[in-house]
Amino acid sequence: MPAAKAPEDAYTAAPFVPEGADLAALRRAAARCRGCPLHAPATQTVFGAGTADARVMLVGEQPGDQEDRQGEPFVGPAGRLLDRALAEAGLDPAEAYVTNAVKHFKFTQTEPRKRRIHKAPSLREAAACAPWLAAELALVEPELIVVLGATAGKALLGPSFRVGEARGTVLEREIHGRPERLVPTVHPSSVLRARDEDRRAAYEGLVADLQVAAQALA
Ligand code: URA
């Protein structure tokens, strides 16, 4: 008989997160996370990148195809666009701690050698992964969190979060028991997906939101 599948609300990374670990130990532990089924088809866990003294934490949705292959967040097309927008807004991408709400790439693939198509993680999968993000927040203690898109927003601010309502403003909320300041904005992939005639405005909107973040850190 095949092994029974855990119900979705039983998914959690909590037992895999070591107590008292530094970022390097967390990253090693995350590589072995089996808290939800997303680990199985993914190449590897993509943990956050950056140092514990970063002043700003950027939180995306989940690794994409390139990130899954390389093991680093935001190293594909969305990451390149994000780096450009950050620099234009006056934020140094190299000084940020960059991570995702979900640490494994979720995708569909019709045949083994066909392109892997990104699939948005469910709220349950994001909730299962939340102990990793909580541990990263507790260690980095960023002065500001930049929330990139709806999945990160829902993971940090709750399921009623809407990017359009909150983007480009500084929010103050208690998150995982700590008072945090957050600036939500769109996900950089949404700029890449925008119609040709809308892409410039979408990009400029992202830069304007990131400028709010830069000012909040000044
Ligand atoms: N999109 C994300 O949300 N995160 C990544 O790391 C890459 C693309």
Side-chain angles (χ1 to χ4, degrees):
M1 203 162 69
K5 249 171 80 180
E8 264 204 60
D9 55 4
Y11 298 167
T12 177
F16 299 90
V17 182
E19 266 180 46
D22 62 9
L23 281 176
L26 275 187
R27 187 172 290 115
R28 284 195 299 276
R32 296 186 297 273
C33 186
R34 303 286 181 266
C36 83
L38 295 187
H39 71 86
T43 308
Q44 57 194 316
T45 305
V46 180
F47 200 67
T51 58
D53 61 1
R55 294 180 65 204
V56 60
M57 182 182 284
L58 308 173
V59 183
E61 180 194 72
Q62 63 168 351
D65 179 76
Q66 288 299 316
E67 290 78 14
D68 171 77
R69 293 173 199 277
Q70 296 184 40
E72 292 287 324
F74 282 108
V75 289
R80 285 192 287 280
L81 183 135
L82 178 62
D83 282 357
R84 193 154 56 86
L86 285 165
E88 231 173 277
L91 291 164
D92 185 349
E95 285 182 7
Y97 185 90
V98 185
T99 193
N100 285 299
V102 172
K103 308 294 196 251
H104 284 107
F105 178 37
K106 181 174 179 180
F107 59 92
T108 53
Q109 192 172 32
T110 47
E111 285 170 49
R113 274 186 297 280
K114 284 264 157 59
R115 206 159 75 85
R116 302 183 300 172
I117 311 290
H118 162 277
K119 195 160 181 241
S122 68
L123 282 179
R124 290 258 166 77
E125 287 155 350
C129 219
W132 292 117
L133 188 53
E136 290 173 295
L137 281 168
L139 281 173
V140 178
E141 297 186 309
E143 288 170 47
L144 192 74
I145 303 170
V146 175
V147 180
L148 298 167
T151 299
K154 288 179 199 295
L156 288 162
L157 295 156
S160 61
F161 172 81
R162 299 278 176 278
V163 182
E165 291 164 13
R167 66 178 295 181
T169 62
V170 183
L171 306 177
E172 299 192 359
R173 297 281 189 282
E174 186 164 311
I175 297 181
H176 299 302
R178 254 177 52 89
E180 303 284 3
R181 289 191 310 154
L182 309 99
V183 174
T185 185
V186 294
H187 193 283
S189 297
S190 72
V191 177
L192 294 173
R193 283 196 309 268
R195 291 184 306 180
D196 288 353
E197 59 272 33
D198 299 332
R199 195 163 305 119
R200 171 125 298 270
Y203 177 75
E204 283 168 3
L206 171 63
V207 172
D209 293 346
L210 294 174
Q211 279 165 343
V212 173
Q215 276 153 20
L217 282 169

